[in-house]
Amino acid sequence: MRMPAAMLATMALAGCALAPAPARPPATMDTPAAAQPSPTAATAATAGGTSTDADHAAGFAAWRAAFAAQALAGGIRPDTVRDVLGNAQWQPRVVELDRAQPEFTRTPWAYLDSAVSAQRIAQGQATLAEHQATLDAAAARYGVPATVITAIWGIESNYGSNFGSLRTVDALATLAYDGRRRAWAQSELLAALRIIDAGDIAADRMIGSWAGAMGHTQFLPSVFLAYAVDADGDGHRNIWGSIPDVAASTAHFLARYGWRANEPWGAEVQLPPSFDHTRADLGVRQSTAQWEAEGVRPLDGQRLPSLASASIVCPGGARGPAFVVGANFRTILRYNNSVNYALAVALLSQQIGGGAAIAGAWPRDLEPLTRTQMQALQEALNRNGFSAGTPDGVMGPATRAGLRAFQRSVGVAQDGYPTQELLQRLQAP
């Protein structure tokens, strides 16, 4: 006879109050103290009064007991529910970070200055040399260049020096109880418990960021279950301590999402003076031969790389550098859906391998719009008949389309890049 999940949950958690608290991650894996989530940070006041950490902790404990039934029903072993979920700890700083909406945005050049710094390039070259055989083995197995694997490693965790210090179960349990995406966090928490159940890693060694990303190349638990690889043959998939597993898992993810061996990510290009910047969009795809026929030229005076389905991207608008990008660039976007991120990986891998840096100049005189200013721009676009969707202070496809329509109306390059000048023109009486 099958015991009801609720009864099993009660039994599984019955001894939790007496169980010793799990050990914290070792200090060598900590990020600088100023950047660390503080486990003692006070929670914000609510409309109904001031909620203390003790209030939240009590609610968290009740939620944890209820979630145990779902974990058991999902096939998690009772001892894992008792010893791991039962010892999950409320982390108020995780909630603060999840709810935070930064007022200031970063320009593409500010992001790339940091992500593809001279120090990171040099360290990437040293890391590649140190682990050459391991990275080459992953490259040969999955067709993803060792330089690309190394670049992702560098951007995600600075080559393993900073991949977070929070227990993943704590972070995800906190988000599942009190986060913006509770259903998602619950699903990832169940995935994390399955990883522990399978014996790949102990709960106290499963550490990562406040948002649940884990290990050297920041896999979410669900991604780990689908793509992590035991490359060193020890019977465990260990993206925290085994560099062969880290390299192979990262390459496997990219390969499964369509990485094309022996095809470049793209190249920096020179656009013709008459280029229509509404076509600088990842949704506009054609062969590089067709782009070349339209006057798009590589900076080195040779031919464009042969790409069957290529797009033009101009992250800094019409005044900034332009790039032709292909299928592998889009695959990098599956790792992190940000053009700036994908460009950082592409350029870092290129320079780790001895290739060129960006030749074009960024429009560094352009100040970024704050979130409040971006919302004002969206409101002004809507008010003037250029639909930008719901004003939320975040640049998205609807805002870009509305901004391009406004740019067309005033006879300037339709690059959809938000500037202080455009905001002032929109707000002018």
Side-chain angles (χ1 to χ4, degrees):
M1 177 178 176
R2 182 180 177 87
M3 188 175 294
M7 186 178 298
L8 278 170
T10 302
M11 294 172 62
L13 290 176
C16 290
L18 301 177
R24 293 290 101 190
T28 54
M29 294 183 179
D30 287 345
T31 53
Q36 279 301 300
S38 169
T40 61
T43 53
T46 62
T50 300
S51 296
T52 67
D53 283 355
D55 294 333
H56 283 295
F60 176 74
W63 169 86
R64 187 179 58 195
F67 186 75
Q70 184 175 338
L72 290 165
I76 307 302
R77 292 184 294 114
D79 58 342
T80 300
V81 174
R82 181 189 65 244
D83 299 335
V84 178
L85 180 62
N87 279 316
Q89 298 180 15
W90 162 253
Q91 298 287 349
R93 180 60 173 154
V94 168
V95 177
E96 291 177 10
L97 290 168
D98 181 58
R99 292 176 177 171
Q101 296 186 357
E103 174 65 8
F104 293 94
T105 58
R106 297 179 76 185
T107 59
W109 49 94
Y111 177 81
L112 291 170
D113 285 348
S114 173
V116 195
S117 65
Q119 180 180 359
R120 184 161 286 171
I121 294 166
Q123 190 175 352
Q125 291 170 336
T127 300
L128 177 59
E130 180 182 357
H131 300 285
Q132 188 80 59
T134 296
L135 291 161
D136 284 348
R141 182 175 179 180
Y142 295 107
V144 179
T147 54
V148 172
I149 303 169
T150 305
I152 288 177
W153 188 6
I155 290 173
E156 292 294 342
S157 70
N158 200 23
Y159 309 106
S161 67
N162 178 12
F163 53 73
S165 62
L166 280 172
R167 291 199 319 161
T168 299
V169 171
D170 287 353
L172 289 172
T174 298
L175 293 173
Y177 166 65
D178 189 7
R180 293 174 297 115
R181 297 180 293 167
R182 296 182 184 182
W184 167 84
Q186 288 181 20
S187 176
E188 291 296 337
L189 177 57
L190 286 174
L193 294 173
R194 289 192 178 97
I195 295 167
I196 296 167
D197 245 4
D200 281 311
I201 194 76
D204 291 338
R205 294 178 58 210
M206 179 188 274
I207 63 174
S209 75
W210 67 267
M214 313 179 301
H216 284 260
T217 50
Q218 296 289 277
F219 274 19
L220 288 169
S222 61
V223 174
F224 180 101
L225 289 175
Y227 303 106
V229 174
D230 173 21
D232 61 14
D234 69 351
H236 304 288
R237 297 174 294 174
N238 182 0
I239 61 171
W240 298 266
S242 168
I243 302 308
D245 291 6
V246 170
S249 299
T250 306
H252 181 220
F253 176 92
L254 295 172
R256 288 283 296 274
Y257 272 107
W259 187 273
R260 299 183 182 181
N262 303 314
E263 181 173 299
W265 63 269
E268 187 177 1
V269 295
Q270 179 69 49
L271 301 177
S274 60
F275 185 76
D276 177 5
H277 277 84
T278 62
R279 302 183 67 229
D281 191 285
L282 288 169
V284 178
R285 302 178 187 178
Q286 61 185 29
S287 71
T288 45
Q290 290 173 288
W291 286 118
E292 200 164 30
E294 295 180 20
V296 176
R297 296 286 182 265
L299 295 186
D300 59 10
Q302 304 299 312
R303 299 293 301 274
L304 294 180
S306 180
L307 304 172
S309 179
S311 304
I312 301 295
V313 295
C314 300
R319 290 178 51 198
F323 306 87
V324 62
V325 299
N328 287 342
F329 188 89
R330 294 192 292 271
T331 296
I332 299 171
L333 286 170
R334 300 304 296 266
Y335 211 101
N336 184 323
N337 191 28
S338 159
V339 168
N340 290 343
Y341 175 88
L343 189 59
V345 170
L347 293 171
L348 181 57
S349 66
Q350 180 171 291
Q351 291 175 80
I352 287 174
I358 293 177
W362 294 104
R364 295 179 181 271
D365 59 303
L366 297 180
E367 295 182 9
L369 269 62
T370 66
R371 189 183 183 95
T372 300
Q373 289 172 326
M374 182 67 75
Q375 185 169 338
L377 180 138
Q378 293 166 327
E379 292 168 349
L381 285 169
N382 288 337
R383 189 167 57 248
N384 285 281
F386 305 100
S387 178
T390 302
D392 58 3
V394 178
M395 188 70 180
T399 304
R400 185 168 289 107
L403 187 55
R404 280 174 165 165
F406 171 69
Q407 289 173 316
R408 183 184 310 115
S409 73
V410 295
V412 299
Q414 300 165 49
D415 58 9
Y417 189 84
T419 65
Q420 299 284 348
E421 180 186 2
L422 290 172
L423 174 59
Q424 291 169 9
R425 292 183 71 165
L426 277 161
Q427 291 180 323

